Amino acid sequence: MPMKLHLHGKRGVDLLHDPRLNKGTAFSDDERDALGLRGLLPPRVTTPAMQLSRVLGNIRRKPNALEKYIYLISLQERNEALFYRRDHGQSR
């Protein structure tokens, strides 16, 4: 029987709705199984670097500042770690 884990008492959908804990597609297969995330995320596991690259590409494709702002606020509401990684990466 697989071990069941939780992060700060959260599993499954509750974990995905917490932007401080949500890693999106960066949850490993083992984490997905242990945290009850299997089937709640796309099947492909990506690295944080791959996520950051995808986010930066999405930002570049936005046609204006308002669209970029809306995208970034949405990202912050879903995945704070990725949002701040993007911010840190651009400040260099």
Side-chain angles (χ1 to χ4, degrees):
M1 184 160 113
M3 186 167 109
K4 294 196 177 200
L5 298 177
H6 62 84
L7 289 177
H8 299 276
K10 296 184 180 185
R11 295 177 40 78
V13 173
D14 290 335
L15 178 61
L16 295 178
H17 286 166
D18 187 329
R20 294 169 297 136
L21 303 174
N22 186 6
K23 298 191 312 185
T25 56
F27 282 107
S28 70
D29 284 327
D30 291 338
E31 289 172 319
R32 291 171 188 224
D33 290 336
L35 294 168
L37 299 172
R38 182 71 57 195
L40 299 177
L41 294 167
R44 183 171 181 221
V45 175
T46 59
T47 66
M50 292 165 68
Q51 284 182 317
L52 181 58
S53 176
R54 187 173 60 236
V55 163
L56 294 175
N58 288 340
I59 292 168
R60 280 191 286 275
R61 284 189 291 278
K62 298 298 178 192
N64 56 54
L66 179 59
E67 291 291 325
K68 290 176 184 183
Y69 173 80
I70 292 168
Y71 178 79
L72 289 171
I73 291 301
S74 173
L75 176 63
Q76 185 180 27
E77 290 174 351
R78 288 188 321 271
N79 187 331
E80 281 189 7
L82 184 54
F83 174 82
Y84 288 112
R85 200 174 319 124
R86 181 237 25 117
D87 189 47
H88 180 71
Q90 286 192 345
S91 65
R92 289 184 176 179

